[in-house]
Amino acid sequence: MDFFNFRLFFLLASAVVCCSADILKNDKVKGVLGKNVKFNTTFDGSEYLSLSWNFGSVNIVTASKVKVAIANAYTDRVKLNKTTGMMELGPLNAADNGMYQLIIVTQELQTLTGDSELKVLEPVSSVTITSDPPKEAVESNSSVVLTCTAKGSFLKYTWLNNTVPVVADGKRLILNADGNILSVKDVQRWDLRGPIYCRAGNDLEEETSAAFNMTVSYGPEKVVLVQTPTSSVLATGAMVTLACSSVSSPDATYQWMHNGAPMKDTTASITLENVNEKNSGNYTCVAFNAKTKRYIASNMALFTVIEPIKGTTITRVGAATPLIAKDSSIQLTCKAVAGTVASTKWTKDGVDLVVSERVVLSKKMDMLNISMVQREDAGLYKCVLKNAVNSLEGNYTMVVNYGPEGIKMVGPKAVEITDRVEIKCTAESYPVATYSWKLNGTKLEPTTSMFIIEQPSFRDTGTYTCTAHNPLTNGTASSTHTLAVKEEGALDEGLSGGAIAGIIIGVLIALAIVIGVVMHMRKKKDIPSPY
């Protein structure tokens, strides 16, 4: 049976209609141009006499359980499931838009029908983002409009910042009614940090644009200057580094200022080597963003360059003649070869110098005057010169010559001819005194402080005179001592008074004991006998 006769049979069978039912799942079907679409049914696949799909007045396909006939125009575009009646049509073209009808005649000669409208949609493609201004904006100064364009039917648009959907707030972030235009007012650096995507689609498919990146220029801000080392006072010859940083896109350029005047340096950091007093003052850096046209100044670095103290010495003014106690005066000056002196301090023997009417310091503390020096003025003097970068001290050892004074002699008053004799003469003196001796006015040979007679004779009796002499002060002092030399045993005068007193006390104690015993015995004889 050819297709015409098969279709005629179908028409005759369908002429006997007792009832109809909706046997299609959807009364509206959408398909994509160039792709296939399926018309799904709700038919349970029971026995039927005939099945036919029509497009308007055009019969597309007619089938029975044993045979399927497809119109020539649809031979390569239609697939039919004979059991359920599902038809797959494609690839679709624009002429496929319209109403489709399924007619099934059952074994009971019941006719079942279903109608569905097909809309052929244009494929989604060419999803593209354009911006105004293109690619670059200035934070807070610019408003940006992003437009998403695409090809396709019944399109809807979604904006993504990376993977997060962009949510319009109606104030700064605004979407038009179609959703394909995103306006950003007073753009901020994070608004379009992205990448930004536009996703266009309909009920059947969607496509995402290429990544879009908007460069938002901002800054400079948080401009910070760091000084290394951080000291506010530097020594001449030192090195100092000044580093400037800021938050800026694109990176800022820098202009350095010294005491308000521009420097030639434009790098982010500068190093000042071998600084001197001319480098003292305040420093700032000014950051500039060529895109935003904004200038921001940093905090201020302030330091002073001071020359370190060098070559501190204490110098005696005038002739360096020996100092004689109670006769000489001295003037000392404390100076440095180089450097700025901020303070001066004097010490003597490790403790602060005590000033007095005799010991006087000048107002500038650089000169010390001691009038009529005393022996206690001798010692180690130091002056410490100090400024903010260093301190240095000078030393001077003061020697005061004095004496002799406080002379005294120590020795026996009387000796026997067999005794060894030592007479010592001492005197306080600096430098150490020399000594001379005389006996009864006659000069003796010894020149030391100790006069020794190994075996004295009667002619060694007399008055000894010791004279101490300080060769530097030319001072002398004398003392005398009388010595008597006697025969052997002449100095043995019996028991001493102490020994005699001890003997007497011992005799008295013994006598008391004897008297006590006698009295006790007499009492015993006076007791009457009991017999």
Side-chain angles (χ1 to χ4, degrees), residues 316 321-330 358 370-375 377 399-403 405 472-475:
R316 181 178 175 183
T321 56
L323 296 176
I324 308 299
K326 302 178 183 179
D327 184 64
S328 302
S329 296
I330 187 172
R358 288 191 315 103
I370 303 177
S371 59
M372 299 299 290
V373 295
Q374 306 295 322
R375 55 187 290 186
D377 293 328
V399 176
V400 178
N401 302 281
Y402 61 90
E405 57 190 45
L472 201 149
T473 65
N474 203 32

Side-chain angles (χ1 to χ4, degrees), residues 111 156 284:
T111 300
K156 295 180 181 179
T284 56

Side-chain angles (χ1 to χ4, degrees), residues 30 46 66 89 95 116 135 339 353 368 382 401 414 442 479:
K30 293 179 180 179
S46 57
V66 296
L89 175 62
S116 182
K135 294 296 184 180
L353 179 66
L368 171 64
K382 290 185 179 182
N401 302 281
T442 302
S479 180

Side-chain angles (χ1 to χ4, degrees), residues 415-421 453-461 464 483-486:
V415 295
E416 295 179 356
I417 57 175
T418 57
D419 294 336
R420 185 176 184 271
V421 178
I453 306 173
E454 295 291 345
Q455 291 183 335
S457 63
F458 295 120
R459 65 174 178 271
D460 293 320
T461 297
Y464 288 81
L483 175 67
V485 180
K486 300 184 177 184

Side-chain angles (χ1 to χ4, degrees), residues 37-39 53 60-61 78-79 85-89 100:
V37 67
K38 291 181 179 181
F39 294 88
W53 276 96
I60 299 173
V61 59
V78 169
K79 294 179 181 179
M86 182 276 294
M87 179 180 70
E88 182 176 352
L89 175 62
Y100 289 78

Side-chain angles (χ1 to χ4, degrees), residues 204-272:
L204 299 181
E205 61 179 3
E206 63 182 14
E207 185 174 312
T208 302
S209 69
F212 175 84
N213 289 288
M214 168 66 77
T215 299
V216 178
S217 300
Y218 56 86
E221 57 191 45
K222 298 180 181 179
V223 184
V224 178
L225 191 161
V226 177
Q227 173 188 329
T228 306
T230 58
S231 175
S232 60
V233 181
L234 301 174
T236 55
M239 181 176 72
V240 61
T241 298
L242 302 174
C244 201
S245 63
S246 65
V247 176
S248 178
S249 178
D251 291 342
T253 57
Y254 300 94
Q255 173 64 60
W256 288 91
M257 312 290 288
H258 178 212
N259 294 330
M263 301 172 65
K264 64 180 181 179
D265 302 275
T266 58
T267 56
S269 66
I270 60 175
T271 298
L272 305 177

